[in-house]
Amino acid sequence: MIAFEDLPAGRIIPLGELVVDRDEMVDFARRFDPQPFHLDEDAGRDSIFGGLSASGWYTASLWMRVYVDAVLSGSTGQGSPGVRELRWLAPVFAGDRLAFEVEVLSARLSKSRPGLGLVEMRGTARRGDEVVYQFESTGMFGTRG
């Protein structure tokens, strides 16, 4: 069980890797972000991306999935008050192998809620050495005490 005490500043947690599936990527775009360069090969080639590219929201959802699997399920996680500095730094394409991680930037106990810690974190997705997605957020985790 991961609790607040297990998340000190500086900790980096690898969340795993996955290969972006074309059909899933396009299905997501069709449902939630139906811009032409996310749906059609020709439109993607004619765009600034140079190919059929994943919705940034799809990339974010992939990160969230591996984060839940590696950290949140089986943790004292209590949600998040929000995300900031969300950036899509490079397009993601079908077949890309992405590696995901979370880095703890800072951690402190809540002043108003005993038993709750606030963890500032940076989430990233990389294709090789290139960061393609990054954001910072606050996670709320219960303490063991």
Side-chain angles (χ1 to χ4, degrees):
M1 168 92 45
I2 294 175
F4 170 76
E5 292 85 350
D6 302 312
L7 300 168
R11 181 169 181 193
I12 296 173
I13 304 171
L15 303 175
E17 294 185 359
L18 58 78
V19 175
V20 177
D21 180 87
R22 183 197 183 284
D23 293 338
E24 184 180 84
M25 178 182 95
V26 172
D27 286 346
F28 181 96
R30 191 174 291 115
R31 184 155 182 219
F32 299 107
D33 190 359
Q35 297 180 74
F37 44 81
H38 296 323
L39 299 171
D40 179 77
E41 299 280 351
D42 291 332
R45 258 191 309 280
D46 293 340
S47 75
I48 64 170
F49 306 117
L52 181 68
S53 63
S55 165
W57 297 113
Y58 176 70
T59 305
S61 70
L62 293 177
W63 188 92
M64 191 66 198
R65 176 77 240 194
V66 297
Y67 179 61
V68 168
D69 291 347
V71 175
L72 288 183
S73 63
S75 79
T76 60
Q78 299 293 309
S80 171
V83 172
R84 62 191 168 284
E85 293 192 35
L86 174 71
R87 296 184 291 162
W88 295 293
L89 300 166
V92 170
F93 303 103
D96 283 353
R97 176 174 294 280
L98 301 180
F100 302 89
E101 71 179 28
V102 63
E103 176 184 2
V104 177
L105 302 175
S106 67
R108 66 177 176 82
L109 291 170
S110 171
K111 293 175 185 161
S112 61
R113 293 188 180 192
L116 185 71
L118 301 169
V119 179
E120 302 292 325
M121 58 186 76
R122 177 181 301 123
T124 58
R126 286 186 173 79
R127 176 180 46 228
D129 292 333
E130 179 182 27
V131 176
V132 297
Y133 169 70
Q134 186 172 55
F135 70 95
E136 292 182 7
S137 69
T138 303
M140 299 182 295
F141 289 84
T143 63
R144 285 201 176 86

